[in-house]
């Protein structure tokens, strides 16, 4: 057996061993997404297969069915965010917490109609058994959000006319702790610290239904309010 043949045999053994390691990592992960050990075993199997394929091509002009390219393990770890590279923490370009802050304003065509729809939502979802009537606009808005999905989308109803809004994405040093602010503090939870940094902003603009506008123009009537928003 020539040295080249022995090198091919050793390369094939590395493929077999890497395949076993990959299978063992997959079994251990048991379906867990983005498992570091599965990823590293995949890279090893990929590179062992690539090396064997290249040796087989050089020696005999033959190829395997494996159409793979070599992967730099350290570069792959950095690109895909795997936590450990050679026993050390990988560099993380976003070590801070991401804070998403949204504001949207609404016009209330009828306070009575808003309170009525919030009371209906409370009756349909009694929760902790609070059967008291909804008496304020603040209660009504919170009741509608609790009855919905908890987001501002729950307020897209005819009883509220959606105006402009804005979404701010910021990197912050410290995660939010609501308990550190008074119940009537409307500024503190949203204020950025000096070390925090805004990384993006999305403006939302209300728009009127064009078909309703045209109908109103033809009939000399005011268009019905729209609760939709669009994003620039």
């Amino acid at each position: 057996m020539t040295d080249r043949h022995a090198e091919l045999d050793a390369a094939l053994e590395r493929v077999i061993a890497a395949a076993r390691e990959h299978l063992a990592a997959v079994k251990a992960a048991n379906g867990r997404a983005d498992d570091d050990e599965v990823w590293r075993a995949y890279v090893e199997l990929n590179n062992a297969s690539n090396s064997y394929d290249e040796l087989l091509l050089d020696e005999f002009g033959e190829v395997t069915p494996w159409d793979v390219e070599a992967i730099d393990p350290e570069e792959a770890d950095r690109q895909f965010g795997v936590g450990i590279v050679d026993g050390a923490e990988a560099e993380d370009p976003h070590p801070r917490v991401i804070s998403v802050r949204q504001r949207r304003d609404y016009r209330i065509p009828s306070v009575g109609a808003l309170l009525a729809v919030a009371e209906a939502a409370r009756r349909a979802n009694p929760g902790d058994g609070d059967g008291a009537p909804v008496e304020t606009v603040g209660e009504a808005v919170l009741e509608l959000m609790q009855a919905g999905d908890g987001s501002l989308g729950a307020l897209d109803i005819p009883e509220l006319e959606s105006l402009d809004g804005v979404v701010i994405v910021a990197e912050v040093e410290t995660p939010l702790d609501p308990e550190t602010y008074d119940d009537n503090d409307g500024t503190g939870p949203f204020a950025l610290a000096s070390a925090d940094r805004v990384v993006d902003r999305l403006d939302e603009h209300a728009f009127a239904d064009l078909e309703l506008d045209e109908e109103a123009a033809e009939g000399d009537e005011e268009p019905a309010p729209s609760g939709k928003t669009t994003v620039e």
Side-chain angles (χ1 to χ4, degrees):
M1 179 182 295
T2 66
D3 290 342
R4 195 62 170 172
H5 289 180
E7 189 177 355
L8 263 170
D9 288 342
L12 178 58
E13 290 301 321
R14 285 193 294 271
V15 173
I16 295 171
R20 290 198 177 102
E21 289 294 331
H22 180 257
L23 179 58
V26 170
K27 289 179 178 178
N30 195 29
R32 184 170 56 250
D34 301 325
D35 183 83
D36 288 1
E37 294 305 319
V38 171
W39 166 247
R40 291 193 183 88
Y42 170 87
V43 172
E44 289 295 330
L45 177 57
N46 177 92
N47 290 348
S49 301
N50 175 261
S51 296
Y52 175 73
D53 191 84
E54 288 186 345
L55 284 171
L56 190 65
L57 180 64
D58 291 344
E59 181 67 15
F60 295 108
E62 297 289 342
V63 294
T64 69
W66 313 322
D67 185 15
V68 296
E69 298 291 337
I71 298 175
D72 182 340
E74 292 189 7
E75 180 60 31
D77 281 352
R78 284 191 292 269
Q79 180 177 352
F80 291 98
V82 176
I84 305 297
V85 181
D86 292 334
E89 290 287 338
E91 294 182 5
D92 188 347
H94 299 289
R96 297 182 177 180
V97 175
I98 291 297
S99 176
V100 180
R101 302 161 190 230
Q102 183 173 11
R103 169 181 172 174
R104 188 191 296 174
D105 291 353
Y106 298 85
R107 183 177 290 112
I108 306 173
S110 169
V111 172
L114 178 63
L115 297 181
V117 74
E119 284 194 26
R122 176 172 288 182
R123 289 193 301 270
N125 301 277
D128 58 2
D130 183 7
V134 178
E135 297 180 342
T136 68
V137 168
E139 285 183 42
V141 170
L142 292 179
E143 187 66 42
L144 291 170
M145 292 185 67
Q146 290 172 354
D149 58 8
S151 72
L152 292 181
L155 304 181
D156 288 336
I157 58 176
E159 289 76 16
L160 287 172
E161 180 183 344
S162 181
L163 303 177
D164 289 350
V166 64
V167 178
I168 300 294
V169 180
E171 287 183 343
V172 299
E173 290 280 1
T174 306
L176 175 67
D177 181 5
E179 301 300 325
T180 60
Y181 301 97
D182 294 336
D183 290 344
N184 60 353
D185 186 353
T187 302
F190 296 94
L192 293 175
S194 58
D196 299 339
R197 183 173 69 93
V198 174
V199 295
D200 214 339
R201 168 176 163 168
L202 182 67
D203 292 343
E204 296 180 330
H205 294 287
F207 70 92
D209 192 308
L210 297 180
E211 292 183 1
L212 290 177
D213 284 346
E214 293 174 359
E215 291 175 2
E218 292 174 359
D220 196 24
E221 298 175 355
E222 290 294 328
S226 171
K228 300 178 181 177
T229 62
T230 186
V231 175
E232 284 191 336

